[in-house]
Amino acid sequence: MDQSVAIQETLEREENCVVAVQCDVFFDDIPESRLLGLVESGKEHAIFIYAHRRMAITADDVSLQEIIPISLDFAVVEVSSPEQLVVVGADTRVRISYKDEELELKLPFGSHSRLFLGEVNKAWSEKSLEKAKGSSSAAQKSKVYSNPESQSIYSREERDDLVRASSHTTSNKAQILTMPQFGLRDNLIRCELLKNEDLYTYLEDFSFFLGTYNVNGQPPKESLRPWLSCNPSPPDIYCVGFQELDLSKEAFFFSDTPKEPEWTKAVSDALHEGAKYALVKLVRLVGIMLIFYVKEEHAEYISDLEAETVGTGIMGRMGNKGAVAIRFRFHNSTICVVNSHLAAHVEEYERRNQDYKDICSRLLFRPYDLTQPPLTIMKHNVVLWIGDLNYRISDLEVDSVKELIIKKDFKTLHKNDQLKRQIDEEAVFNGFEEGAIDFQPTYKYDTNSDDWDTSEKCRIPAWCDRILWKGKNIKQRHYRSHMDLRTSDHKPVSSLLVIGIKRINNVTYKKTFEEIVRNIDKMENECIPSVTLSKREFHFKDVKFMEHQAETLKLFNDGQVPCQFEFIRKPNEATYSKPWLTANPPKGFIAQRGSADIDLEVFVNRTTAPDLNCGKQVIEDILVLHLERGKDYFISVTGNYLPSCYGSSIYSLCHMREPIRDMPQETLLQLAEKSAADFAESTEKPLDIPKELWMMVDHLFRNAVKQEDLFQQPGLRSEFAEIRNCLDSGMPDSLPGSNHSVAEALLLFLDALPEPVVPFSIYPQCLECCSNPSQCEKIISMLPQCHKNVFNYLAAFLRELLKNSASNRLDVSILATIFASLILRSPSKQDLAEKRKTQEFFQHFLNHGSS
């Protein structure tokens, strides 16, 4: 009997899918999503490769594409070993070969992938022992499971026939969809599973050690055991956060630091000796670092691992302040750990509040299934937030604070804690909990001592370093500082939380899953989904540069079945909306008789502002809301945009003597369409520099030349809005807001110029001559007059700042790094070498002897 027919008949009688996994299979280096099933039939095994629809619900949504028999002609090479997989927590690459064919797979990090590989290797080993005694052990040692001397069992043609003839695999396809190991991505089934979660899960307690330490740029000088091994029993999971890992300029501007491996090793050496731990993930943004360890026996239950960062420093980009975060699934609970460093200084609590809100809105995790919308921090069962939050103690003098500390009257002291007040006012951390604080403030100490700050500033002691959590079934076992560590001007803090984690009962899960699939299949065959929209026309009034506006579209599922919605692209358009408009969420699921709120958000940034300023584009779009297996709904979005100097060109602004809001739209369009030659022929004498630029620089020259941390500390968004409105609508005697807000407004102005101060066409010449001062000056002398005036005006102002460096703590390197990236912008993404060259170019103009 033909061998392919024999194996087919055997499979038809006894087929059983042992394990399944979703992965990417590479076809000509292009990854495509596939389902893999290890199918067992008697003593025979084969890997079934299935293509599938995005909405894979029933067996009809899955098609068998390939069958690879596991024989002596079969090989699996793990490009990254299981040991590496546990340590680094990344996806693993696997190469499968059969005869002369090879497939490369990328399997997601987690227990599903390891289970699949383990079963495949076990199946091959059994075949190897059966047919070629003694070959298995040598193959296993090398992690290459093959026997090059064996003969092929199935030809390519025989396997193609087997695939085409596999009508019997319908039940197998249905089975693969119901397997607990297959993380099905479909919103509809996932939502139903979530509603019925209590039927197939149970809680089990696990201990989480959370630690935070601002190390003030110091290297590790002492053992961290008093901090990380302070409990008698080893915790199940460690989440250890650092701030100010490296305070050097190189780390700030280029993100390189030798401190990362130094502190990582110090942590690894200090973990509890009562258990063995695997490093799952490390993420760092400049000096903010988060390290995630688990006991080795728990590593296989970690999946869906992602890490992200967000900077909240100057211009909302610099990473000296901000957050890093890791999210993961542990058994069936989703957990997000955030380590943040918020704005400093006693009076800046509003800025800290703003940083917190920015982190919550901007830190998004891309799911493994890219068809799904990003996950926010709060969309997890458990959120653990650690870090130097920098909230201080207000309304008490330093001597009063120290006296209360001596008395250990932490309750009275805590009443004046800014974080407590802001939480009580529901300004930040809504729904979070923090344990009772019965330890003295963790900041600020003289380094290498337990003495309070004796410097000239004599900082008031404060609980800057905090640990909070959000979620159910969480109990805190301890919350303490660690006075024995004296490396930094902060003391480290730790908390031990016991968290009830949801574990899956595979038997009840499978029953629940199968019942859901049957019910959904029945409903979809009987009913067409439909929704009611709260409104179909939205108007956004007085849209302004970098000022967020949002309106809510409410959807009500009035049909007889659950429905899936998505905003889809219109013909010949790349995205579902104009770049200034987003729908949040852009897709989702609504249960029967349920509802969903969608925020339609308008935000104009430096990319979209130029065409809106001059009227080439308007606030107008049509959104198409599509229902899966249903109809489309059309939603009109309109608005009016208020032109701004932000996003207008230097040429245009130099030819505006009136505020831009007073200029007719036709004039703005004419100015935007004029070329440099047109301006040169104009009889009207332009301004030397834009009046808006002069206003900001003049304000800083008069008020801020001695301002500490100028251009390094962000301002308040509300104050930027006031400054922008003043520049766009009139010229007051002085600008509102703090010096830091005006400084950031100046940087945003330069960043938003459609053509930078040094035009794009001249940028390559600047890189070529960056080490030659005379050539650099020659290039600037050849700039168009308005651009040359702006360049020289800014350079002269920055040289004035450097004369006051003893007060403002600025130096040539800092200013060159901040301003070179704005004045010499690349038309494409800059690499590190280009950044260094632009800084070298601009530094020539900051030396005091420059003209």
Side-chain angles (χ1 to χ4, degrees):
M1 183 184 290
D2 185 276
Q3 287 175 316
S4 63
V5 175
I7 187 73
Q8 177 183 334
E9 289 181 353
T10 307
L11 286 169
E12 286 176 339
R13 290 195 305 269
E14 301 179 58
E15 63 176 18
N16 175 43
C17 190
V18 178
V19 62
V21 68
Q22 184 180 40
C23 71
D24 285 339
V25 178
F26 289 85
F27 298 97
D28 297 325
D29 294 328
I30 299 173
E32 294 185 18
S33 181
R34 293 291 184 270
L35 309 183
L36 303 187
L38 176 63
V39 176
E40 177 184 27
S41 181
K43 294 183 178 181
E44 299 291 339
H45 290 82
I47 293 177
F48 281 37
I49 301 178
Y50 300 90
H52 62 95
R53 285 183 51 189
R54 183 172 68 84
M55 292 282 292
I57 298 172
T58 67
D60 292 336
D61 297 324
V62 177
S63 59
L64 181 63
Q65 187 178 45
E66 172 73 289
I67 295 176
I68 301 177
I70 294 179
S71 67
L72 294 180
D73 213 38
F74 169 87
V76 176
V77 179
E78 297 183 29
V79 181
S80 52
S81 70
E83 290 81 6
Q84 290 174 319
L85 186 65
V86 171
V87 172
V88 300
D91 296 334
T92 188
R93 293 288 186 107
V94 172
R95 194 174 296 117
I96 292 179
S97 63
Y98 183 81
K99 200 178 177 182
D100 296 328
E101 301 172 39
E102 281 192 352
L103 278 180
E104 186 163 331
L105 319 176
K106 184 175 76 172
L107 287 86
F109 173 79
S111 56
H112 304 160
S113 299
R114 283 190 292 279
L115 179 63
F116 179 82
L117 289 176
E119 291 293 335
V120 169
N121 293 337
K122 179 181 173 184
W124 185 88
S125 297
E126 291 173 355
K127 177 62 67 176
S128 181
L129 285 169
E130 178 186 330
K131 297 281 180 78
K133 297 287 187 181
S135 65
S136 173
S137 59
Q140 286 183 347
K141 286 177 184 175
S142 66
K143 290 293 181 187
V144 181
Y145 303 95
S146 64
N147 185 346
E149 297 179 0
S150 63
Q151 297 298 311
S152 173
I153 296 180
Y154 307 109
S155 68
R156 170 78 263 180
E157 292 76 14
E158 287 173 328
R159 285 189 291 127
D160 286 344
D161 291 341
L162 181 59
V163 170
R164 284 192 290 269
S166 291
S167 58
H168 69 283
T169 59
T170 300
S171 62
N172 188 261
K173 291 188 295 183
Q175 184 186 3
I176 202 172
L177 284 173
T178 63
M179 298 199 68
Q181 293 88 354
F182 171 44
L184 193 65
R185 305 298 186 184
D186 172 54
N187 278 340
L188 193 154
I189 292 181
R190 183 160 44 194
C191 186
E192 289 298 310
L193 281 170
L194 194 60
K195 285 181 0 187
N196 293 281
E197 194 174 40
D198 292 343
L199 297 178
Y200 59 86
T201 62
Y202 61 95
L203 291 180
E204 183 174 328
D205 286 344
F206 293 87
S207 56
F208 285 63
F209 179 98
L210 308 177
T212 178
Y213 194 7
N214 182 319
V215 297
N216 192 32
Q218 300 298 311
K221 302 173 184 175
E222 54 194 344
S223 172
L224 302 182
R225 283 193 182 280
W227 172 37
L228 300 179
S229 296
C230 61
N231 298 298
S233 301
D236 294 300
I237 286 177
Y238 274 101
C239 300
V240 183
F242 292 94
Q243 307 83 40
E244 294 190 358
L245 199 75
D246 192 332
L247 297 177
S248 68
K249 296 182 184 69
E250 290 75 20
F252 180 68
F253 294 121
F254 300 110
S255 197
D256 297 328
T257 174
K259 301 284 180 65
E260 178 183 310
E262 292 175 4
W263 279 102
T264 303
K265 183 178 185 304
V267 170
S268 179
D269 291 345
L271 298 178
H272 204 292
E273 292 180 331
K276 289 186 177 180
Y277 291 94
L279 171 60
V280 179
K281 195 73 177 176
L282 182 153
V283 59
R284 181 175 62 82
L285 174 69
V286 188
I288 310 169
M289 183 166 78
L290 178 59
I291 313 177
F292 171 31
Y293 287 90
V294 299
K295 281 184 178 178
E296 286 188 353
E297 58 264 35
H298 298 322
E300 64 178 299
Y301 301 107
I302 302 288
S303 61
D304 300 345
L305 183 73
E306 298 289 340
E308 288 295 342
T309 69
V310 61
T312 60
I314 194 79
M315 299 173 67
R317 296 185 211 161
M318 292 294 192
N320 58 323
K321 295 293 188 291
V324 299
I326 295 171
R327 64 92 51 192
F328 58 96
R329 181 181 295 274
F330 185 36
H331 291 286
N332 207 46
S333 292
T334 56
I335 299 168
C336 180
V337 186
V338 183
N339 174 27
S340 68
H341 192 189
L342 308 186
H345 306 302
V346 175
E347 68 280 3
E348 294 289 347
Y349 68 89
E350 288 185 358
R351 176 69 218 190
R352 288 187 274 281
N353 293 355
Q354 181 175 298
D355 284 352
Y356 165 80
K357 291 170 185 173
D358 279 352
I359 292 165
C360 290
S361 63
R362 291 172 50 210
L363 201 150
L364 302 172
F365 297 98
R366 294 287 168 188
Y368 182 74
D369 180 358
L370 295 178
T371 65
Q372 300 302 316
L375 283 170
T376 63
I377 290 171
M378 300 306 168
K379 288 184 177 178
H380 292 82
N381 300 134
V382 174
V383 181
L384 308 173
W385 199 302
I386 65 178
D388 179 359
L389 306 188
N390 250 325
Y391 286 93
R392 308 301 175 89
I393 290 172
S394 299
D395 305 327
L396 288 175
E397 296 298 325
V398 62
D399 291 338
S400 301
V401 170
K402 290 179 180 178
E403 187 176 336
L404 288 168
I405 293 170
I406 292 170
K407 295 178 179 177
K408 296 190 181 298
D409 190 356
F410 300 134
K411 189 174 182 180
T412 301
L413 202 58
H414 195 225
K415 290 178 181 176
N416 293 276
D417 174 67
Q418 289 179 343
L419 180 56
K420 180 185 184 307
R421 289 180 174 179
Q422 295 305 301
I423 290 176
D424 289 346
E425 293 174 13
E426 298 185 349
V428 290
F429 289 102
N430 285 340
F432 279 82
E433 296 182 59
E434 182 182 24
I437 298 178
D438 58 2
F439 51 87
Q440 69 184 49
T442 55
Y443 175 83
K444 178 181 185 181
Y445 295 86
D446 289 341
T447 55
N448 302 313
S449 79
D450 294 332
D451 300 328
W452 296 115
D453 181 23
T454 58
S455 70
E456 184 181 342
K457 294 181 179 178
C458 193
R459 305 276 193 196
I460 297 174
W463 287 297
C464 291
D465 311 283
R466 310 292 274 268
I467 297 173
L468 302 94
W469 70 87
K470 184 176 185 178
K472 297 178 180 178
N473 304 306
I474 302 174
K475 301 180 286 290
Q476 184 171 256
R477 292 291 185 243
H478 85 240
Y479 190 23
R480 63 179 72 145
S481 66
H482 299 268
M483 297 294 293
D484 291 342
L485 273 69
R486 300 179 176 88
T487 296
S488 173
D489 55 357
H490 289 248
K491 298 295 183 184
V493 172
S494 70
S495 172
L496 186 70
L497 299 179
V498 175
I499 303 177
I501 297 296
K502 292 177 284 189
R503 298 198 63 171
I504 292 178
N505 180 315
N506 286 337
V507 174
T508 54
Y509 176 94
K510 185 176 180 180
K511 290 179 180 177
T512 305
F513 197 108
E514 290 170 340
E515 182 65 24
I516 289 170
V517 170
R518 279 195 295 270
N519 290 339
I520 289 174
D521 193 33
K522 181 181 178 183
M523 286 191 297
E524 287 183 341
N525 289 333
E526 293 175 354
C527 305
I528 297 175
S530 69
V531 295
T532 300
L533 282 62
S534 58
K535 54 193 289 193
R536 300 198 187 197
E537 295 182 356
F538 292 84
H539 183 78
F540 292 86
K541 184 180 179 184
D542 295 344
V543 177
K544 300 172 185 175
F545 177 79
M546 279 188 68
E547 188 166 290
H548 176 268
Q549 284 197 38
E551 287 201 35
T552 300
L553 165 66
K554 291 183 178 292
L555 304 181
F556 176 71
N557 184 351
D558 58 0
Q560 301 302 308
V561 290
C563 68
Q564 177 113 356
F565 68 85
E566 180 178 1
F567 289 95
I568 60 173
R569 291 178 295 164
K570 299 178 284 294
N572 303 318
E573 294 193 10
T575 57
Y576 70 83
S577 70
K578 298 283 178 65
W580 42 262
L581 174 64
T582 55
N584 188 22
K587 60 182 72 173
F589 164 83
I590 312 176
Q592 184 181 355
R593 310 306 294 173
S595 61
D597 287 351
I598 301 170
D599 289 330
L600 301 182
E601 302 174 345
V602 171
F603 186 78
V604 175
N605 58 20
R606 63 173 180 160
T607 305
T608 51
D611 286 348
L612 288 167
N613 280 333
C614 66
K616 286 182 182 177
Q617 292 288 333
V618 293
I619 302 293
E620 189 173 293
D621 200 5
I622 299 290
L623 294 176
V624 181
L625 179 71
H626 172 72
L627 293 190
E628 189 81 22
R629 298 184 175 90
K631 68 175 186 175
D632 294 341
Y633 301 80
F634 298 90
I635 299 156
S636 169
V637 178
T638 59
N640 67 296
Y641 181 71
L642 299 181
S644 176
C645 63
Y646 287 85
S648 296
S649 72
I650 292 175
Y651 279 127
S652 296
L653 293 172
C654 284
H655 285 78
M656 292 183 209
R657 295 186 176 274
E658 301 298 321
I660 192 169
R661 297 252 183 98
D662 294 343
M663 302 291 291
Q665 188 73 65
E666 313 85 70
T667 306
L668 294 177
L669 184 58
Q670 290 171 5
L671 288 172
E673 291 178 339
K674 277 189 177 182
S675 66
D678 294 332
F679 280 113
E681 294 173 3
S682 174
T683 56
E684 183 183 357
K685 186 178 185 305
L687 300 170
D688 290 335
I689 61 172
K691 57 190 179 302
E692 298 84 0
L693 175 67
W694 176 84
M695 267 297 281
M696 288 184 281
V697 172
D698 182 67
H699 178 98
L700 294 172
F701 179 75
R702 288 186 288 106
N703 300 288
V705 289
K706 296 186 178 181
Q707 176 72 56
E708 187 177 338
D709 293 333
L710 192 69
F711 294 116
Q712 295 176 85
Q713 182 175 323
L716 285 172
R717 192 167 298 127
S718 58
E719 292 181 350
F720 166 72
E722 294 174 6
I723 294 165
R724 179 205 58 216
N725 291 342
C726 285
L727 297 175
D728 289 342
S729 59
M731 307 304 291
D733 293 334
S734 63
L735 292 175
S738 68
N739 290 335
H740 293 301
S741 293
V742 177
E744 187 169 19
L746 172 60
L747 297 180
L748 288 167
F749 175 86
L750 297 173
D751 187 53
L753 289 171
E755 184 86 14
V757 178
V758 176
F760 290 127
S761 60
I762 299 174
Y763 177 80
Q765 300 173 49
C766 297
L767 299 183
E768 289 172 11
C769 72
C770 65
S771 56
N772 187 324
S774 60
Q775 285 296 314
C776 293
E777 290 186 10
K778 184 177 180 182
I779 286 178
I780 296 304
S781 70
M782 297 169 63
L783 294 182
Q785 190 63 50
C786 290
H787 285 248
K788 179 168 68 175
N789 292 345
V790 169
F791 184 96
N792 289 330
Y793 182 63
L794 288 170
F797 166 61
L798 297 179
R799 290 196 295 272
E800 286 298 315
L801 288 180
L802 290 171
K803 293 177 183 177
N804 294 273
S805 59
S807 301
N808 58 37
R809 301 201 304 177
L810 293 170
D811 61 32
V812 169
S813 178
I814 292 174
L815 289 179
T817 304
I818 294 170
F819 279 86
S821 64
L822 302 173
I823 291 174
L824 288 93
R825 292 208 315 267
S826 169
S828 57
K829 186 170 174 136
Q830 280 183 329
D831 60 26
L832 192 56
E834 281 187 24
K835 285 182 181 179
R836 292 190 187 276
K837 286 182 178 181
T838 60
Q839 291 163 29
E840 185 179 358
F841 180 97
F842 193 56
Q843 278 187 12
H844 297 309
F845 299 89
L846 296 182
N847 295 321
H848 292 294
S850 297
S851 57

